[in-house]
């Protein structure tokens, strides 16, 4: 039996196997130069920037202003939190630029944690990404899309939850199909909707500037009135802010499909993060100039409330533009995150069927459908803010581990080639802040932290049952599913070799 190819430094022992298959030369040649079925390098610098900006600027900026204000207590401290979240995300992104050029593999944190600390921590990251990080983030974005698109039809009340869930499910299915069919379609959709969301935010900014120039500055008389000094509340405010910046590491998930990754990965990060931080700052200033703290806290759709107050008969433009924004964001997130599970399956940490590539479209169709199915299940959870707390705690914890891996690899592999090498000051500062967020959240959100911790720990017995000492019937079941998926989706194993 031919095993899934994996790095010796990542996986000491393969469990899930794939049946031998002869590559179709005509199809393989369309995938890349040389033989084998594999995904093509089709993502350039501008596409990379569009993916990062497109994924980050999605649901967060239209949902999280309420959460940041709720826990910070004042508009002044809220703005400080937004700036610091941008700076922290930029520091993290620079650290990931070093990791991404040192370890030029798709999978992002999964590849970095595995290379630095071995297969079990890498599997635990994959496990929580599978159950919490990726599908929860995608579900939040899809639900936000549906809420905003339906808002004009239920102007005086909330749209029925069933209608929201149905529309969100339809969106997930459409985008999953696009991602399965053609990578170029994915990048075109990302480029178009990234432009749409920037226009929507510029409308908000322009309206806010006009409001201020008209002399409406009373909301800025006491910008720091009502702030919460408690570190636990500050940590929760950071979680809501960082949720809006989440996605800055998604380009690292698709490194193998990025043209000239040593050059384009760090460039895309350095262009994208300052742009996003500036957009977020001026957008929040516009929000706080027009809407009082009470109006923001009482609204589940801040941008729509803003549009109702400022745009009059054209207020419908805002929910439509926000829906377009979240549509593009989810498109990029599905594209990038499906590669995480593809790489995990290729390395033997998930059933081999998820590592198959469609021979016609050269896309990981089973991985995309698998991710879409899990996301659809999470749509039945109604409280978005609870989901944000789950996601933020777990993401902060594993980002801390990934950046710790950067320091460990500096010690373990001091002579390794590093096209990008950041100052040690940056990862140390990042680790300190992440450690504060993780510890402080344990006090203020013990339930969410406890649930997240239980899910992480539950991955340990799963690892030993399926990877370390595999149960025979599970491996046999994986083979049956793999064979069925190969035939049904017209797929073959990835033929590309990775060192």
């Amino acid at each position: 039996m031919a095993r899934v190819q994996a790095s010796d430094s990542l996986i000491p022992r393969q469990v899930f196997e794939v049946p031998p298959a002869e590559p179709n030369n005509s199809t393989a040649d369309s995938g890349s130069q040389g033989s084998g079925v594999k995904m093509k390098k089709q993502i350039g610098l501008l596409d990379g920037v569009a993916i990062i900006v497109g994924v980050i600027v999605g649901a967060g900026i239209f949902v999280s202003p309420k959460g940041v204000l709720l826990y910070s207590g004042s508009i002044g401290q809220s703005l400080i939190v937004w700036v610091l979240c941008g700076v922290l995300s930029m520091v993290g992104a620079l650290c990931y630029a070093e990791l991404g050029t040192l370890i030029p593999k798709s999978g992002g944190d999964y590849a970095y944690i595995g290379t630095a600390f071995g297969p079990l921590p890498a599997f635990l990251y994959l496990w929580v990404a599978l159950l919490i990080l990726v599908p929860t983030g995608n579900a939040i974005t899809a639900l936000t899309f549906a809420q905003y698109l339906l808002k004009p039809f239920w102007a005086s009340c909330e749209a029925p939850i069933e209608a929201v869930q149905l529309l969100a499910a339809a969106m997930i299915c459409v985008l999953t199909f696009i991602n399965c069919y053609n990578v170029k379609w994915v990048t075109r959709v990302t480029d178009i909707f990234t432009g749409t969301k920037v226009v929507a935010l510029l409308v908000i900014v322009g309206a806010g500037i006009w409001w201020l120039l008209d002399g409406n500055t009373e909301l800025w008389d006491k910008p720091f009135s009502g702030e919460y000094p408690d570190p636990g509340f500050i940590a929760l405010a950071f979680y809501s802010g960082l949720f809006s910046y989440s996605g800055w590491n998604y380009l690292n998930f698709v490194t193998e499909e990025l043209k000239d990754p040593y050059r384009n990965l760090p460039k895309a990060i350095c262009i994208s993060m300052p742009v996003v931080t500036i957009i977020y700052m001026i957008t929040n200033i516009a929000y706080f100039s027009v809407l009082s703290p009470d109006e923001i806290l009482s609204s589940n759709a801040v941008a729509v409330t803003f549009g109702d107050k400022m745009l009059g008969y054209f207020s419908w433009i805002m929910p439509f533009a926000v829906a377009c924004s979240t549509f593009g964001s989810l498109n990029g997130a599905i594209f990038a995150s499906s590669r995480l599970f593809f790489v995990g399956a290729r390395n033997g940490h998930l059933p081999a069927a998820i590592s198959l590539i469609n021979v016609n479209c050269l896309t990981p169709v089973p991985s995309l459908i698998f991710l879409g199915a899990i996301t659809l299940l999470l749509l039945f959870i109604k409280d978005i803010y609870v989901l944000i707390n789950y996601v933020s705690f777990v993401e902060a914890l594993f980002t801390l581990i990934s950046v710790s891996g950067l320091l460990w690899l500096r010690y373990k592999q001091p002579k390794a080639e590093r096209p990008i090498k950041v100052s040690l000051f940056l990862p140390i500062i990042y680790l300190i802040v992440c450690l504060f967020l993780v510890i402080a959240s344990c006090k203020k959100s013990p339930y969410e932290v406890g649930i997240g911790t239980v899910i992480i720990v539950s991955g340990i017995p799963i690892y030993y049952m399926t990877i370390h000492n595999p149960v025979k019937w599970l491996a046999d079941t994986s083979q049956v599913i793999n064979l069925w998926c190969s035939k049904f989706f017209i797929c073959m194993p990835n033929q590309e070799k990775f060192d």
Side-chain angles (χ1 to χ4, degrees), residues 220-470:
W220 293 97
D221 290 343
K222 296 180 179 179
F224 290 95
S225 175
E227 65 185 71
Y228 297 137
D230 190 301
F233 284 118
I234 294 174
L236 294 179
F238 265 90
Y239 277 160
S240 287
L242 289 173
F243 172 76
S244 295
Y245 285 95
S246 62
W248 50 262
N249 59 336
Y250 267 41
L251 194 60
N252 295 67
F253 288 177
V254 296
T255 305
E256 293 165 18
E257 295 173 75
L258 184 65
K259 299 175 183 176
D260 193 5
Y262 296 108
R263 171 181 174 271
N264 288 333
L265 178 62
K267 274 193 172 183
I269 289 172
C270 291
I271 293 171
S272 304
M273 293 311 301
V275 169
V276 172
T277 303
I278 292 170
I279 289 174
Y280 277 8
M281 271 301 299
I282 58 179
T283 302
N284 275 281
I285 290 173
Y287 283 148
F288 294 138
S289 299
V290 173
L291 302 175
S292 68
D294 289 338
E295 287 177 308
I296 293 176
L297 293 176
S298 63
S299 172
N300 288 324
V302 177
V304 171
T305 304
F306 182 95
D308 290 340
K309 187 170 182 177
M310 296 297 297
L311 302 181
Y313 291 111
F314 296 97
S315 60
W316 61 269
I317 294 175
M318 193 52 58
F320 176 76
V322 173
C324 290
S325 170
T326 50
F327 186 89
S329 178
L330 183 57
N331 176 65
I334 289 173
F335 170 73
S337 56
S338 65
R339 272 58 178 176
L340 169 63
F341 301 126
F342 167 80
V343 172
R346 188 179 66 190
N347 289 335
H349 277 171
L350 287 175
I354 300 175
S355 69
L356 298 175
I357 299 175
N358 181 271
V359 298
N360 297 316
C361 302
L362 299 176
T363 56
V365 171
S367 177
L368 286 159
I369 293 177
F370 175 69
L371 172 60
I374 296 178
T375 306
L376 289 174
L377 292 176
L378 288 180
L379 292 178
F380 293 97
I381 298 176
K382 299 178 183 179
D383 192 339
I384 288 180
Y385 292 98
V386 171
L387 292 178
I388 289 174
N389 287 339
Y390 285 143
V391 170
S392 299
F393 162 71
V394 175
E395 190 168 29
L397 178 61
F398 278 97
T399 302
L400 186 152
I401 296 173
S402 294
V403 178
S404 299
L406 183 152
L407 296 176
W408 174 245
L409 290 173
R410 285 278 188 97
Y411 169 76
K412 185 180 178 182
Q413 302 175 9
K415 297 183 179 180
E417 182 181 355
R418 290 174 170 84
I420 299 293
K421 189 173 183 179
V422 300
S423 168
L424 280 177
F425 174 76
L426 295 182
I428 291 173
I429 289 296
Y430 194 84
L431 286 177
I432 292 172
V433 175
C434 284
L435 195 59
F436 159 74
L437 293 176
V438 170
I439 294 174
S441 63
C442 294
K443 178 182 177 182
K444 291 300 178 182
S445 296
Y447 177 77
E448 288 83 357
V449 170
I451 294 296
T453 303
V454 167
I455 293 175
I456 294 172
V457 173
S458 69
I460 297 176
I462 299 297
Y463 172 81
Y464 282 99
M465 289 175 59
T466 60
I467 308 297
H468 189 71
N469 291 308

